[in-house]
Amino acid sequence: MAETQATQTRQEQLQLLNNALDSGHLIPVRNLLEELRSADIAHLLESTPPRVRNVIWQLLDKEREGDVLQHLNDEIRQSFIEQMQPQELANALADLDTDDVVDILGDLSQNISNQVLRLLDEQNRAQIEHALSYPEDSAGGLMNIDTIMIRPRVSVEVVLRYLRIRGNMPPNTDHLYVVDSRDVLIGSVPISAILTCDPDTPITQIVDKETFTIPADMPETEVAQIFERHDLVSAPVLDENGRLLGRITIDDVVDVIRGEADHSLMSMAGLDELEDTFGKITATAKKRAIWLGINLVTVILAALVIGLFENTIAQVTLLAVLLPIVPSMGGIAGTQTLTLVIRGMSLGHIGEGNQGYLLRKELAVSVINGVLWALVIAALVYGYSYYKESGINHLHLAITIGGAMLFNLVTGVVSGAVLPLFLKKINIDPAIAGGVVLTTVTDVAGFFALLGLATLFFA
């Protein structure tokens, strides 16, 4: 209910903004922007065409540019950054968390990134350069260095006094991390324990040494799985020597999970998950043309297979009506398995130890469904050809379509299970390439099985 109301509010805000822009009255637009949170402004920017988007950006207070940039789609954010001078960008990034600055600078050219870094204060620059040394899609690239560390020999009262002097805590702080003199992590203390324990209690008595830790080089997808599996709000990031480098918080993990979901969804259609919905026509057309060209090649390949059996089709014209059925059923069955396996791989469920069982299980499922639907389509085709009195052997035609259906369902399911495992082994993203390869396999195999069997019976 709350989500629906929030969506309606955003739509109303967008409508008000568009009405104000259409009327040429910019003061109401500025007033509306001042009332919105940075994340909502970013949402509005992503929901408007480039012309309107640029007007909104010009009306935005300079002090809020950095907060808005961190919430934007990478492609849209890049378009605004290209309009900014290095000093302006440095000012916008000055108050952002380290992980957000690293995310933004990581998308810039080395030259621009260095210019911006030189304009930041020395402490921020050192911290950001250290974070930039890790890959963007690793725990080190995801972490925030704004972390509260305490020593093991102090008391709860000392920690409370330190927190009062500090005045505030980093967002999503649910634990304080206990480290030694070399910043090697000893464990963590929940904030709840600090608030409820006797002030004279030594930290050593309440420290949890079984804290979940994240290696700095761990891929961000594995980090997301750990957070999801253990319901974490934050987790410390360590180097190879066990030194505390920073922490990862749930808000960053949510971004990773959403990015993975967008990637899987968009890749199935050959689209970039960062593609701007309201982007430029020429840029969008160029990106999609490449994918359409690849698909055209696969369709031509399937057409060539059909061409090999031109004489068979001329003799049994009813085959032309049946041609779409077999590849379509194989494609759907294969896509079901492909999606299941890709999801299992992304969640870390599939490994060397259970791949064999998975293949046997999918093979058994394909045979059961293959036999079932082969019998169904064979009966339907037998009845249809008998009704049409086509002058051909009705039983042979039923066997042809049924056998092709069984063969292609099994082929599609096995391909859907094997392809993502193979593609990952050769470092190709299964979400991007799997669908195209699977479609090609099921189309070619389906046409070849149907027309091949028909040639055996009727040629």
Side-chain angles (χ1 to χ4, degrees):
M1 183 68 176
E3 183 180 351
T4 302
Q5 292 176 342
T7 301
Q8 291 175 343
T9 301
R10 286 194 296 265
Q11 292 173 345
E12 291 171 359
Q13 291 167 343
L14 184 58
Q15 186 61 48
L16 288 173
L17 188 145
N18 286 330
N19 293 339
L21 288 171
D22 291 339
S23 66
H25 298 145
L26 300 183
I27 293 179
V29 177
R30 186 187 296 275
N31 293 336
L32 176 61
L33 294 177
E34 290 177 354
E35 296 174 1
L36 295 178
R37 296 182 179 182
S38 298
D40 291 328
I41 294 175
H43 177 82
L44 289 175
L45 288 169
E46 293 175 349
S47 305
T48 54
R51 180 187 63 81
V52 178
R53 186 180 293 162
N54 289 330
V55 174
I56 296 173
W57 183 255
Q58 295 300 321
L59 295 174
L60 188 66
D61 288 339
K62 296 296 182 183
E63 292 78 10
R64 302 189 66 185
E65 287 182 347
D67 287 334
V68 174
L69 284 174
Q70 67 175 313
H71 294 292
L72 283 173
N73 174 296
D74 287 2
E75 185 171 333
I76 299 175
R77 180 169 64 203
Q78 185 67 26
S79 68
F80 289 131
I81 289 177
E82 290 173 354
Q83 304 172 26
M84 303 172 71
Q85 296 299 318
Q87 183 63 63
E88 183 183 0
L89 182 56
N91 293 338
L93 302 182
D95 295 327
L96 297 185
D97 292 336
T98 305
D99 56 333
D100 294 320
V101 177
V102 169
D103 185 38
I104 293 173
L105 293 182
D107 294 331
L108 303 180
S109 66
Q110 190 68 38
N111 181 41
I112 299 297
S113 178
N114 290 337
Q115 290 184 48
V116 174
L117 281 172
R118 284 196 295 268
L119 295 170
L120 297 174
D121 65 72
E122 186 174 347
Q123 181 179 3
N124 281 347
R125 182 167 64 249
Q127 294 173 340
I128 292 169
E129 286 177 339
H130 179 67
L132 283 170
S133 65
Y134 295 100
E136 184 179 0
D137 59 351
S138 69
L142 195 64
M143 71 179 178
N144 191 334
I145 60 174
D146 191 4
T147 304
I148 298 179
M149 297 181 286
I150 58 178
R151 301 299 184 193
R153 295 184 179 180
V154 301
S155 66
V156 169
E157 172 60 31
V158 172
V159 175
L160 287 171
R161 189 161 58 247
Y162 165 69
L163 294 177
R164 285 193 291 268
I165 294 172
R166 180 185 173 96
N168 57 62
M169 290 190 294
N172 297 310
T173 297
D174 61 330
H175 286 78
L176 305 183
Y177 298 113
V178 184
V179 297
D180 63 15
S181 58
R182 296 180 295 111
D183 288 342
V184 173
L185 183 70
I186 297 174
S188 66
V189 177
I191 288 293
S192 58
I194 296 294
L195 296 175
T196 57
C197 285
D198 187 281
D200 296 328
T201 304
I203 291 298
T204 52
Q205 290 186 11
I206 58 175
V207 62
D208 179 9
K209 296 184 179 180
E210 301 299 323
T211 303
F212 285 104
T213 60
I214 307 290
D217 58 354
M218 176 180 285
E220 62 179 15
T221 52
E222 294 184 22
V223 173
Q225 291 169 14
I226 290 176
F227 268 71
E228 182 182 11
R229 192 177 307 132
H230 300 288
D231 294 327
L232 301 180
V233 174
S234 66
V237 179
L238 310 182
D239 66 9
E240 63 275 7
N241 298 316
R243 293 177 60 249
L244 180 63
L245 300 175
R247 68 192 181 110
I248 295 174
T249 54
I250 186 62
D251 57 323
D252 298 311
V253 173
V254 169
D255 291 338
V256 173
I257 295 172
R258 178 181 176 182
E260 286 295 308
D262 287 346
H263 173 73
S264 299
L265 176 65
M266 300 292 276
S267 294
M268 289 293 185
L271 299 175
D272 186 348
E273 70 269 23
L274 301 177
E275 184 169 341
D276 182 4
T277 305
F278 297 94
K280 295 181 179 178
I281 295 174
T282 53
T284 302
K286 182 179 178 180
K287 291 179 181 179
R288 298 187 188 182
I290 297 173
W291 191 256
L292 290 171
I294 294 173
N295 276 272
L296 179 61
V297 172
T298 65
V299 173
I300 291 174
L301 181 61
L304 291 174
V305 172
I306 296 175
L308 295 175
F309 300 94
E310 185 176 352
N311 293 333
T312 302
I313 297 174
Q315 289 180 338
V316 187
T317 55
L318 190 56
L319 288 172
V321 178
L322 303 178
L323 276 178
I325 297 176
V326 174
S328 176
M329 289 292 288
I332 291 173
T335 300
Q336 289 174 336
T337 303
L338 180 73
T339 304
L340 180 71
V341 173
I342 290 177
R343 176 181 178 273
M345 292 167 62
S346 67
L347 294 176
H349 292 168
I350 299 175
E352 294 290 340
N354 56 17
Q355 289 179 9
Y357 174 81
L358 175 67
L359 293 176
R360 290 192 298 272
K361 172 229 174 186
E362 290 299 319
L363 179 60
V365 170
S366 68
V367 170
I368 293 172
N369 275 323
V371 170
L372 170 64
W373 295 109
L375 291 174
V376 171
I377 191 64
L380 291 174
V381 169
Y382 183 88
Y384 179 76
S385 62
Y386 184 84
Y387 171 76
K388 295 288 288 186
E389 297 181 356
S390 52
I392 61 174
N393 190 308
H394 311 309
L395 180 60
H396 286 177
L397 186 60
I399 293 173
T400 297
I401 188 70
M405 178 73 77
L406 173 60
F407 174 81
N408 207 33
L409 274 172
V410 173
T411 300
V413 170
V414 172
S415 299
V418 172
L419 272 174
L421 300 174
F422 172 74
L423 291 173
K424 185 177 182 180
K425 183 167 288 189
I426 60 176
N427 296 320
I428 296 177
D429 189 348
I432 295 177
V436 175
V437 177
L438 177 65
T439 300
T440 304
V441 170
T442 54
D443 282 356
V444 171
F447 291 138
F448 191 85
L450 177 62
L451 298 175
L453 286 173
T455 301
L456 290 176
F457 282 117
F458 301 109

